[in-house]
């Protein structure tokens, strides 16, 4: 990994975030982790109450990264074919032809994903894990790069379906937005009044080929074996927590390392520090935990379980950083 490559990732990432932050206010850390997840090749789940700008953030990231963007408004009557596509009869050809669904794009926004049925939610599993869909036994590869940003409303239960653990595990991170500070909320409204239109657009910083090059460069970020073992120990600590019936899987420890690597790259470093792993631990691991019934009834926060695991997991005393 050369210094020029790390500088390019950091510079491009800063430009992307500056563009997105020009229209999305008060989400600095959330946007940084969302961008890092995309650079690491992962998918993002935004979970918070409506009206906080989750959809705007997803659309703005897609625009800044030069990705083709499609929005899928999830509803209870949606079918798997509405996501993946289906075969339709073409009279001119006298045969059935495949019509691709909205999932054939660079970045798919699955808005309110918990409003659609588990059968339709599962239609995204193959796409998120293998970058392909299978319809009537035929395989159709998805464009590269391909990413999913989904939003979910955690406080509404009427007409919603909880995401199954298998699908939650496909998301590299689950991010919460939170209410903006008073100054940020004021700026949101003032900016809207000045624009005199609800429409906003972020100029593209890179194109598809440029994003693929950045993702390939992130893959070359060095990760010391001690840091990898620290991520493994941290993940294993969630499996031994008192309030957890099922802890994070090896996919969780891998996601820790991959996202920490992307965070390091955005900061212009060619190596990963334990602090990078700590920074992403809660967004990466909390949604992968299955709490015991007692803990769930008592309102135990999975994020608190992960934070406690971070506190009691020893950090490597020395890490040889390859520069």
């Amino acid at each position: 990994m050369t210094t020029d490559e790390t500088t390019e990732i950091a510079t491009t990432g800063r430009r992307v975030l500056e563009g997105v932050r020009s229209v999305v206010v008060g989400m600095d850390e959330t946007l940084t982790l969302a961008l890092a997840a995309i650079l690491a090749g992962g998918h993002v789940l935004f979970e918070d109450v409506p009206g906080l700008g989750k959809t705007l953030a997803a659309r703005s990231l897609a625009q800044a990264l030069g990705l083709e963007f499609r929005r899928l408004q999830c509803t209870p009557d949606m079918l798997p074919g509405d996501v993946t596509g289906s075969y339709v009869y073409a009279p001119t050809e006298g045969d059935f032809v495949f019509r691709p669904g909205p999932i054939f794009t660079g970045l798919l926004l699955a808005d309110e994903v918990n409003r659609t049925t588990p059968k339709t939610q599962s239609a995204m599993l193959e796409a998120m894990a293998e970058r392909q869909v299978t319809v009537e036994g035929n395989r159709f590869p998805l464009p590269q790069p391909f990413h999913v940003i989904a939003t979910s409303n955690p406080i509404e239960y009427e007409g919603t379906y909880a995401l199954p653990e298998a699908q939650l595990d496909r998301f590299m991170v689950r991010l919460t937005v939170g209410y903006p500070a008073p100054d940020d909320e004021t700026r949101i409204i003032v900016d809207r009044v000045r624009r005199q239109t609800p429409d906003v657009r972020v100029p593209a910083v890179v194109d598809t080929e440029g994003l693929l090059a950045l993702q390939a460069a992130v893959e070359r970020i060095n990760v010391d074996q001690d840091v990898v073992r620290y991520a493994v120990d941290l993940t294993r600590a969630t499996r031994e927590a008192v309030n957890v019936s099922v802890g994070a899987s090896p996919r969780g420890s891998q996601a820790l390392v991959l996202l920490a690597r992307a965070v390091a790259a955005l900061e212009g470093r060619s190596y990963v520090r334990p602090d990078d792993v700590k920074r992403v631990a809660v967004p990466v691991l909390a949604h992968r935990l299955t709490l015991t019934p007692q803990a769930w009834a008592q309102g135990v926060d999975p994020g608190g379980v992960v934070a406690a695991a971070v506190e009691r997991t020893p950090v490597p005393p020395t890490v040889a950083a390859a520069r």
Side-chain angles (χ1 to χ4, degrees):
M1 187 72 182
T2 65
T3 303
D4 290 344
E5 286 179 314
T6 55
T7 302
E8 181 181 359
I9 297 173
T11 302
T12 304
R14 183 170 60 253
R15 292 174 58 204
V16 168
L17 291 173
E18 286 173 354
V20 176
R21 288 168 182 162
S22 67
V23 297
V24 181
V25 180
M27 295 189 196
D28 289 357
E29 179 68 1
T30 300
L31 290 173
T32 299
L33 294 181
L35 175 59
I38 291 175
L39 291 180
H43 309 288
V44 179
L45 174 63
F46 282 123
E47 188 174 85
D48 221 319
V49 298
L52 297 181
K54 302 184 295 295
T55 302
L56 177 61
R59 182 184 294 110
S60 300
L61 271 175
Q63 292 171 349
L65 292 171
L67 291 172
E68 181 185 0
F69 174 82
R70 291 191 183 182
R71 181 178 181 271
L72 187 66
Q73 181 62 55
C74 297
T75 56
D77 60 348
M78 183 178 293
L79 300 175
D82 297 328
V83 179
T84 62
S86 58
Y87 281 90
V88 296
Y89 184 73
T92 56
E93 300 182 21
D95 199 359
F96 286 88
V97 297
F98 180 69
R99 179 177 293 173
I103 205 165
F104 286 83
T105 186
L107 192 149
L108 174 71
L109 171 62
D111 218 353
E112 295 186 297
V113 68
N114 60 330
R115 284 200 176 277
T116 193
T117 61
K119 183 177 182 179
T120 304
Q121 291 173 6
S122 66
M124 301 182 191
L125 289 181
E126 180 185 13
M128 294 172 69
E130 303 177 33
R131 266 65 175 183
Q132 68 174 35
V133 297
T134 302
V135 180
E136 297 187 15
N138 296 316
R139 173 185 175 274
F140 298 94
L142 295 173
Q144 297 299 325
F146 167 75
H147 299 278
V148 173
I149 294 182
T151 68
S152 175
N153 181 354
I155 64 169
E156 198 168 341
Y157 298 101
E158 185 71 25
T160 62
Y161 304 85
L163 293 177
E165 286 76 6
Q167 184 161 343
L168 281 172
D169 202 36
R170 295 299 196 278
F171 289 100
M172 180 171 283
V173 289
R174 180 179 65 180
L175 302 172
T176 57
V177 176
Y179 288 107
D183 288 345
D184 291 333
E185 191 166 355
T186 301
R187 181 186 161 192
I188 292 171
I189 299 171
V190 169
D191 287 349
R192 169 62 183 87
V193 172
R194 286 175 178 170
R195 285 199 310 270
Q196 300 182 8
T197 175
D199 300 325
V200 293
R201 181 159 188 88
V202 177
V205 175
V206 295
D207 55 15
T208 300
E209 290 72 20
L211 177 57
L212 287 172
L214 290 176
Q215 291 175 333
V218 169
E219 290 286 349
R220 294 190 289 273
I221 296 291
N222 181 73
V223 186
D224 191 89
Q225 186 171 340
D226 286 347
V227 175
V228 174
R229 183 54 188 263
Y230 173 62
V232 170
D233 290 343
L234 182 54
T235 305
R236 291 177 64 86
T238 67
R239 303 169 195 165
E240 301 165 359
V242 175
N243 293 317
V244 175
S245 60
V246 180
S249 68
R251 185 184 283 124
S253 53
Q254 177 173 269
L256 267 182
V257 173
L258 296 181
L259 188 61
R261 192 170 59 180
V263 167
L266 286 175
E267 293 190 351
R269 283 184 280 109
S270 60
Y271 59 94
V272 177
R273 301 185 305 206
D275 284 348
D276 298 323
V277 178
K278 287 184 177 182
R279 178 179 177 182
V280 303
V282 172
V284 168
L285 296 180
H287 65 288
R288 304 176 193 270
L289 306 185
T290 302
L291 301 181
T292 62
Q294 295 83 357
W296 182 83
Q298 294 169 4
V300 174
D301 178 22
V305 175
V306 176
V310 171
E311 289 296 324
R312 68 174 182 268
T313 303
V315 177
T318 58
V319 177
R323 292 176 172 82

